[in-house]
Amino acid sequence: MQRIGLTGGIAAGKSVASRRLAACGAVVVDHDVLAREAVAPGSAGLAAVVAEFGPGVLDAAGALDRPALARVVFADPAARARLDAVVHPVVRRLAAEREAAAAVADPGAVVVHDIPLLVETGQAGRFQLVVVVHAPAVLRVERLVRLRGMPRPDAEARVAAQARDEERLAVADVVLDGAGGDADLERQVDDLWARLVAERDAERAGERP
């Protein structure tokens, strides 16, 4: 089984790369999806978040009010660290379960862990290959403002709350250029997939008696 860590700053194009890898045949473990599962209504994770930040982070239906929580944690690094301490252990447990299931289904699977905060959480060393989708921070801010309608101060805060571009690039084994369009990024992913499959096939051939 090949274990790959995929990351990139917000609005760099990581989601495009993740979807393309899944279409190629990779088993994608989306840690953002797992983070939502970790604080689903009725979960122990949500109860822990409320205990840490108070009932003001819940909406009228008793679910997590993500914008309200974001206003707290993106303005306060210490608060963000407290949230991470609650959510990240649950996410890692869920991710390990998904990976184990993939290995049972196909021992030769290519498992891609899509982790927005891979660098920030110190997980680069856990993977055989770290793939970084890179686009300069200034471009990512512009995308958040222009394409997602985010107020510029909020966009700048979101980008600043993540690792610096240099920190991501320092741990990258493969860098995909996300500064262009989706089609260009997908072509790069296709090239990467061809390489991964070739390496897997070569390894399998070497194991034959």
Side-chain angles (χ1 to χ4, degrees):
M1 185 178 70
Q2 293 170 290
R3 301 180 68 254
I4 297 169
L6 172 68
T7 194
I10 186 172
K14 179 180 61 60
S15 295
V16 172
S18 182
R19 287 193 298 270
R20 190 66 169 189
L21 284 164
C24 287
V27 177
V28 175
V29 180
D30 188 330
H31 285 229
D32 260 353
V33 171
L34 298 183
R36 289 192 287 273
E37 184 177 331
V39 292
S43 67
L46 180 58
V49 170
V50 173
E52 188 69 43
F53 296 100
V57 298
L58 294 176
D59 63 19
L64 183 65
D65 185 336
R66 295 182 181 280
L69 181 60
R71 286 192 293 272
V72 174
V73 300
F74 282 109
D76 183 351
R80 190 163 64 249
R82 284 158 43 212
L83 176 64
D84 291 346
V86 171
V87 175
H88 287 175
V90 181
V91 170
R92 293 189 189 189
R93 174 179 59 78
L94 295 172
E97 292 173 357
R98 303 296 194 277
E99 181 180 294
V104 169
D106 177 8
V110 177
V111 180
V112 176
H113 288 262
D114 180 340
I115 309 176
L117 302 181
L118 182 147
V119 172
E120 293 86 336
T121 53
Q123 298 185 68
R126 298 179 55 229
F127 301 101
Q128 294 162 296
L129 192 75
V130 173
V131 178
V132 172
V133 181
H134 172 68
V138 64
L139 173 59
R140 292 189 282 116
V141 169
E142 291 305 318
R143 285 176 172 173
L144 290 172
V145 172
R146 180 169 50 88
L147 301 178
R148 302 192 191 180
M150 189 177 292
R152 185 171 296 276
D154 291 352
E156 291 173 344
R158 290 293 182 96
V159 170
Q162 295 186 332
R164 300 192 311 275
D165 292 345
E166 296 81 4
E167 293 173 309
R168 282 193 208 87
L169 294 173
V171 304
D173 299 301
V174 174
V175 177
L176 302 178
D177 184 1
D182 290 357
D184 178 60
L185 181 53
E186 288 171 349
R187 283 191 293 270
Q188 296 175 63
V189 172
D190 290 346
D191 290 343
L192 172 61
W193 182 255
R195 168 188 155 187
L196 294 172
V197 170
E199 291 174 353
R200 181 183 62 186
D201 291 348
E203 183 175 343
R204 285 175 170 173
E207 291 175 352
R208 293 172 187 158

